[in-house]
Amino acid sequence: MHTPIPDLLRLLALPVLGWAAWRDIRTRRVSNVTWYPLSALAIVLLVLEGWVAWSGPPFAREWFGLQVVVSEWYFFYVAVSLGFVAPLVIAFWWFRAFGGADAKAFLVIAALFPAYPLYHLGEWVFPVQGTVLGVFSLTILTNTVLLGALYPVSLFVRNLIAGRFASVMFVGRVIPWDEIPTAHGRLLETPDGTSRSGADLDAIRMYLRWRGIMLTDLRERATDLRDPATLPAEPNPPTDGAVSTTDEAVTDGGAVIERAQISSKSGYEDPWGAAHFLDGIDHGAYGTTPTQLREGLEVLVTEDEVWVSPGIPFIVPMFGGLVVAFSYGDLLSGLLGALGIVAI
């Protein structure tokens, strides 16, 4: 038997998602353009395979000399993939379980992989492990969740071995302060101790770029720079806070009034000018409040090491889940079958 052409075309998702995963690790940003080719392919394959399924038995047709084969349950698979998996993904995004790029990637997967593909390699047929429902996008989703669950476990083990015991050891890691400019995630510290509601690191970068100062200088001149009167007269664009892959040139924005009439950090109505910064930018700072920003800056200018939540770049386990789905198949069904809970 030969692998159907539509299933071969679906393999294009591997390099695209692999590149997106690499970008997600480096910058936590994936352009919308990334998903356009796969979206177009998904629409074409849905129309083509839908036509074959609508034509009825034997559910196999030649289209411009290309073999197209679908299951008699094809419309059921499409209904579950687009009617259940896709809305579930949107719900995850709505409740901030993952980001916008993650949601877009999975919506494309829901449209591109409604049914299990079949790949013939000699006498072997992949994927090996199927499911009761037979909805491939659901397999990719469950594989992704299972692989993603390994991340907090690895953080816990890493912190346990290092002897770092804290309430955030399942979700965070300790890094030196000078890695903050290129780190992703959220601070898990405030001046009062560890916290799950620390400042977003993208918001920290936005503030530093807006102010035109490096974190090193902020630490060295913290006593003076807490004074909001030292804010630049002409701030720089804050950008979106993404990690830059090139060296950034920053300026202090021109005239700066250097005065530190009160050395205590609590002596100013708006320490660090945090509220002024957030009021002055024309877009949000990832939900960061003036208090969170102030507390984050205080931690970064006083501590040599800080707890951060690196977050889960969800497209990375998604790519892993796709690779496993193409080769082995459904991890959950295989696990449950091994435990004797279900038989596939």
Side-chain angles (χ1 to χ4, degrees):
M1 294 180 64
H2 298 287
T3 299
I5 295 300
D7 288 345
L8 289 176
L9 292 175
R10 287 184 169 96
L11 290 173
L12 292 173
L14 282 172
V16 174
L17 209 61
W19 181 86
W22 178 79
R23 288 289 301 173
D24 208 17
I25 293 173
R26 290 289 302 276
T27 67
R28 292 299 198 277
R29 302 293 191 278
V30 179
S31 172
N32 290 336
V33 177
T34 305
W35 312 118
Y36 293 166
L38 291 183
S39 298
L41 177 61
I43 293 172
V44 170
L45 294 184
L46 282 172
V47 171
L48 177 59
E49 292 178 330
W51 165 71
V52 174
W54 186 262
S55 300
F59 300 107
R61 298 287 187 278
E62 289 285 332
W63 183 73
F64 289 100
L66 304 178
Q67 183 186 36
V68 181
V69 180
V70 299
S71 166
E72 59 183 311
W73 291 92
Y74 180 76
F75 289 121
F76 169 77
Y77 301 145
V78 172
V80 174
S81 191
L82 298 183
F84 174 73
V85 176
L88 183 63
V89 166
I90 294 173
F92 284 162
W93 168 76
W94 181 265
F95 289 105
R96 298 186 178 181
F98 49 61
D102 307 324
K104 293 166 187 172
F106 241 120
L107 289 175
V108 170
I109 284 177
L112 189 59
F113 295 104
Y116 259 67
L118 290 176
Y119 298 101
H120 299 271
L121 184 60
E123 296 181 355
W124 292 86
V125 179
F126 299 96
V128 177
Q129 177 66 57
T131 66
V132 172
L133 288 180
V135 179
F136 199 58
S137 62
L138 190 58
T139 284
I140 298 170
L141 178 59
T142 56
N143 285 359
T144 299
V145 172
L146 289 175
L147 293 177
L150 297 176
Y151 190 59
V153 174
S154 68
L155 286 175
F156 174 78
V157 172
R158 178 179 178 179
N159 289 324
L160 188 65
I161 294 174
R164 297 189 177 102
F165 301 98
S167 60
V168 295
M169 61 189 299
F170 271 104
V171 295
R173 60 191 179 97
V174 174
I175 65 172
W177 68 268
D178 56 359
E179 291 185 12
I180 290 294
T182 56
H184 301 282
R186 178 177 293 272
L187 281 174
L188 294 177
E189 284 193 53
T190 70
D192 297 326
T194 56
S195 170
R196 295 290 295 272
S197 59
D200 191 288
L201 296 185
D202 283 347
I204 295 289
R205 275 186 288 273
M206 288 172 60
Y207 172 83
L208 294 174
R209 292 167 184 173
W210 177 85
R211 188 160 187 168
I213 195 169
M214 308 298 288
L215 182 56
T216 303
D217 299 324
L218 197 74
R219 286 173 61 92
E220 292 175 351
R221 303 168 55 200
T223 301
D224 290 342
L225 296 181
R226 286 191 184 95
D227 186 349
T230 61
L231 294 176
E234 300 177 6
N236 298 288
T239 73
D240 65 352
V243 173
S244 175
T245 56
T246 59
D247 293 334
E248 295 179 275
V250 296
T251 65
D252 61 9
V256 178
I257 304 174
E258 291 285 358
R259 63 178 178 84
Q261 297 174 343
I262 306 175
S263 60
S264 172
K265 66 184 180 183
S266 62
Y268 305 111
E269 183 177 348
D270 182 22
W272 302 105
H276 184 75
F277 158 69
L278 292 172
D279 289 340
I281 60 178
D282 58 3
H283 56 81
Y286 308 99
T288 302
T289 66
T291 298
Q292 288 175 323
L293 182 56
R294 292 184 194 112
E295 291 179 342
L297 293 171
E298 288 296 337
V299 168
L300 292 178
V301 299
T302 56
E303 301 295 333
D304 291 331
E305 292 184 328
V306 294
W307 279 96
V308 300
S309 170
I312 299 178
F314 206 70
I315 293 180
V316 176
M318 191 186 305
F319 173 65
L322 180 63
V323 172
V324 173
F326 271 134
S327 53
Y328 173 74
D330 194 275
L331 286 174
L332 182 60
S333 292
L335 177 61
L336 294 178
L339 296 175
I341 298 176
V342 295
I344 302 298

